[in-house]
């Protein structure tokens, strides 16, 4: 073996050793918070440089403690800052996390599973939303040329089923995309996965809007699915910033840094996010949603109505994730393919999988009770059109997260 070859082998060995040590040390140093609200010394310790002397560590730790404190830490302990929740037998609460809620999830009474809202009722609510937004009344005609860019980016036309679907992030869109791709016959995975969001790009309307006859496109069966905003906020936070999430992936790191610099400390360094996996607390996340302009909020978190292009787009069916299984049967009837008889939407809710038992619902009850009323009001106002479309229940309501449906309010479309 030549000297150059020996040197190359030694260098490779040293690089492998250094990388292994680096990964080991970083994994050993990561300690995840048991709740987004929790303030832990461990969180501060894990971002302090190991080569700092005692005084430097004390100084850094003191400043970091402020970073890991929510925007208004004193509000959590003030009685007047707490949300007034009703006593609910099914809402099993814990002091730090809702992981134990599953133990008592069976306490939910499925006998009072509410009736599924009619589409006439939903369309009546959408008319009220448009009035609230000072927009025109719900039209009878769609014009996709007037749809916003974000709507087009979230909308897919499936030629084999001849339907158009607008996928709202964190409202079951992964499962519906998987279903459409399966029916298209060009997706071979056995269950939904993150890859589905890339595999479906060839059906995206933003890429093909001008390749179709607009008049024909405007007449296609169009549907979407939305969700109770409270559970969607919790689901979005957990999915992107929850325990164990790698902030190097997705746009998580960029969004996390944006929130941290605005609501924790303007001097937060990008390395703390990417290397130490420091994420915003749930309260900081909510401050971001409540206070920042919608254009600065990622699509996974922004209000759902902003991705529907109402009233330019007229949806034939607006579903609710809380009734996903039952409503999917109605939607499937409009799919122009015989394959649909053998397809079901993966992981839908129904009376056997009561949404009140779902993790995001239990966590929403647990976490939002610690949020100051002033912030709750800001969030409700900003997301009000989302609440209005299905008249979604509040997290303090015994029917949460279901819509509060009254058949007497049904109107003809």
């Amino acid at each position: 073996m030549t000297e150059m070859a020996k040197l190359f082998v030694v260098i490779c060995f040293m690089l492998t050793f250094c990388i292994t040590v680096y990964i080991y040390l970083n994994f050993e140093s990561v300690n995840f918070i048991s709740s987004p609200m929790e303030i832990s010394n461990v969180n501060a310790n894990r971002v302090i440089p190991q080569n700092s002397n005692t005084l430097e560590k004390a100084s850094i730790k003191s400043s970091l403690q402020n970073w890991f404190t929510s925007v208004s830490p004193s509000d959590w302990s003030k009685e007047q800052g707490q949300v007034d929740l009703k006593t609910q037998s099914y809402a099993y609460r814990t002091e730090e996390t809702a992981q134990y809620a599953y133990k008592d999830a069976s306490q939910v009474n499925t006998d009072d599973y509410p009736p599924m809202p009619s589409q006439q009722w939903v369309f009546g609510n959408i008319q009220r939303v448009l009035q609230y937004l000072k927009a025109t009344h719900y039209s009878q005609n769609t014009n996709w040329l007037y749809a916003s860019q974000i709507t087009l980016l979230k909308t897919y036309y499936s030629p084999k089923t001849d339907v158009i679907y607008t996928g709202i992030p964190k409202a079951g869109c992964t499962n519906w995309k998987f279903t459409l791709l399966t029916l298209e016959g060009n997706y071979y995975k056995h269950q939904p996965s993150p890859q589905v969001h890339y595999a479906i790009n060839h059906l995206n309307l933003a890429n093909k809007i001008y390749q179709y006859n607009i008049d024909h496109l405007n007449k296609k069966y169009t549907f979407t699915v939305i969700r109770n905003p409270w559970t969607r906020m919790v689901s979005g936070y957990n999915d992107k910033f929850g325990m164990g999430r790698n902030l190097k992936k997705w746009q998580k790191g960029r969004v996390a840094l944006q929130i941290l610099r605005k609501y924790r400390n303007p001097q937060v360094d990008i390395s703390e996010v990417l290397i130490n996996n420091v994420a915003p607390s749930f309260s900081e996340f909510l401050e971001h949603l409540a206070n920042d302009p919608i254009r600065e909020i990622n699509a996974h978190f922004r209000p759902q109505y902003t991705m529907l292009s109402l009233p330019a787009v007229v949806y034939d069916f607006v579903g609710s994730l809380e009734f996903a299984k039952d409503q999917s049967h109605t939607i499937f009837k409009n799919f122009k393919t015989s394959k649909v008889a053998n397809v079901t939407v993966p992981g839908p809710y129904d009376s056997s999988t009561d949404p009140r038992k779902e993790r995001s619902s239990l966590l929403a009850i647990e976490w939002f009770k610690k949020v100051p009323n002033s912030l709750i009001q800001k969030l409700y106002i900003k997301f009000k059109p989302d609440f209005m479309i299905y008249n979604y229940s509040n997290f303090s309501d015994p029917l949460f997260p279901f819509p509060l449906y009254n058949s007497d309010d049904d109107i003809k479309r």
Side-chain angles (χ1 to χ4, degrees):
M1 183 180 293
T2 65
E3 292 298 321
M4 289 297 293
K6 291 181 180 179
L7 180 61
F8 178 77
V9 171
V10 171
I11 292 174
C12 289
F13 174 81
M14 293 179 66
L15 284 174
T16 303
F17 176 78
C18 291
I19 291 172
T20 303
V21 171
Y22 174 82
I23 293 174
Y24 173 79
L25 291 176
N26 274 275
F27 273 102
E28 287 292 350
S29 65
V30 172
N31 293 281
F32 298 111
I33 54 177
S34 62
S35 165
M37 304 289 185
E38 183 182 336
I39 303 167
S40 170
N41 288 334
V42 176
N43 292 320
N45 287 334
R46 75 185 193 192
V47 297
I48 298 175
Q50 297 300 311
N51 59 354
S52 302
N53 60 40
T54 304
L55 290 177
E56 287 175 335
K57 286 184 177 180
S59 176
I60 296 173
K61 185 174 181 179
S62 176
S63 62
L64 287 175
Q65 286 295 350
N66 294 327
W67 294 4
F68 285 103
T69 304
S70 54
V71 176
S72 303
S74 60
D75 288 336
W76 308 134
S77 59
K78 292 181 180 178
E79 190 62 29
Q80 62 270 27
Q82 302 295 328
V83 178
D84 183 21
L85 297 179
K86 300 175 183 178
T87 301
Q88 302 148 35
S89 60
Y90 69 87
Y92 184 80
R93 299 189 180 91
T94 63
E95 292 183 2
E96 294 185 353
T97 73
Q99 61 178 323
Y100 305 108
Y102 285 113
K103 296 180 180 179
D104 284 17
S106 59
Q107 292 181 4
V108 179
N109 181 13
T110 57
D111 293 337
D112 64 346
Y113 201 83
M116 184 171 63
S118 70
Q119 285 298 290
Q120 289 82 1
W121 178 78
V122 174
F123 292 130
N125 290 341
I126 291 176
Q127 287 186 4
R128 285 184 277 274
V129 167
L130 294 174
Q131 292 170 5
Y132 173 76
L133 296 173
K134 295 181 171 56
T136 59
H137 285 282
Y138 205 71
S139 170
Q140 290 290 328
N141 302 303
T142 289
N143 193 332
W144 282 104
L145 288 178
Y146 295 148
S148 68
Q149 183 66 13
I150 191 168
T151 298
L152 294 176
L153 287 169
K154 300 299 178 185
T155 300
Y156 307 88
Y157 171 57
S158 167
K160 291 189 178 180
T161 61
D162 203 31
V163 300
I164 296 175
Y165 165 63
T166 299
I168 303 297
K170 306 314 302 174
C173 71
T174 302
N175 293 333
W176 273 110
K177 290 176 183 178
F178 172 79
T179 301
L180 290 176
L181 283 171
T182 301
L183 293 171
E184 282 289 317
N186 53 9
Y187 195 66
Y188 305 101
K189 291 186 179 294
H190 298 294
Q191 60 185 5
S193 68
Q195 286 74 33
V196 73
H197 301 294
Y198 304 101
I200 201 171
N201 278 342
H202 67 289
L203 302 180
N204 188 265
L205 266 193
N207 301 326
K208 296 189 174 183
I209 186 69
Y210 294 107
Q211 296 181 23
Y212 296 111
N213 182 308
I214 293 297
D215 290 335
H216 290 171
L217 203 63
N218 290 339
K219 296 176 183 177
K220 303 298 182 184
Y221 182 82
T222 306
F223 73 100
T224 190
V225 177
I226 66 172
R227 182 182 190 177
N228 188 306
W230 297 129
T231 55
R232 183 170 174 263
M233 290 177 203
V234 170
S235 177
Y237 175 84
N238 267 338
D239 184 40
K240 304 307 177 186
F241 306 122
M243 293 181 290
R245 295 300 181 186
N246 186 353
L247 297 183
K248 295 179 183 178
K249 298 180 179 179
W250 182 69
Q251 306 108 319
K252 300 176 189 177
R254 179 182 61 79
V255 177
L257 186 65
Q258 171 192 353
I259 298 173
L260 289 169
R261 283 182 173 174
K262 189 163 187 178
Y263 296 104
R264 185 175 294 184
N265 189 314
Q267 304 303 318
V268 174
D269 189 78
I270 184 66
S271 63
E272 288 154 18
V273 175
L274 299 182
I275 297 177
N276 295 304
N277 225 36
V278 176
S281 68
F282 186 57
S283 58
E284 291 165 339
F285 172 71
L286 295 182
E287 291 282 357
H288 166 61
L289 298 187
N291 298 319
D292 292 347
I294 289 176
R295 66 179 180 275
E296 296 180 10
I297 299 175
N298 186 274
H300 289 80
F301 317 129
R302 68 170 55 186
Q304 297 163 94
Y305 78 93
T306 64
M307 291 175 275
L308 297 179
S309 285
L310 303 173
V313 179
V314 179
Y315 292 91
D316 296 286
F317 197 98
V318 178
S320 176
L321 186 63
E322 290 72 21
F323 292 96
K325 185 173 183 178
D326 292 335
Q327 290 183 335
S328 67
H329 298 317
T330 302
I331 295 171
F332 280 144
K333 291 178 182 178
N334 295 276
F335 281 30
K336 296 180 180 178
T337 174
S338 59
K339 294 181 180 179
V340 76
N342 302 317
V343 174
T344 57
V345 180
Y349 300 144
D350 58 14
S351 57
S352 63
T353 56
D354 196 318
R356 288 169 290 187
K357 298 179 182 179
E358 199 263 335
R359 182 170 181 259
S360 293
S361 301
L362 297 168
L363 287 175
I365 296 168
E366 175 69 22
W367 290 355
F368 278 111
K369 72 176 182 180
K370 302 175 182 178
V371 179
N373 277 322
S374 57
L375 183 52
I376 291 293
Q377 290 301 318
K378 282 185 179 181
L379 289 166
Y380 177 76
I381 291 172
K382 193 161 192 174
F383 287 78
K384 186 174 181 179
D386 287 358
F387 284 103
M388 292 175 67
I389 292 175
Y390 258 92
N391 193 28
Y392 280 115
S393 55
N394 192 25
F395 52 85
S396 61
D397 194 285
L399 283 178
F400 178 77
F402 285 111
L404 300 177
Y405 170 53
N406 183 351
S407 60
D408 294 337
D409 293 335
D410 282 3
I411 69 166
K412 292 184 178 180
R413 185 178 173 185

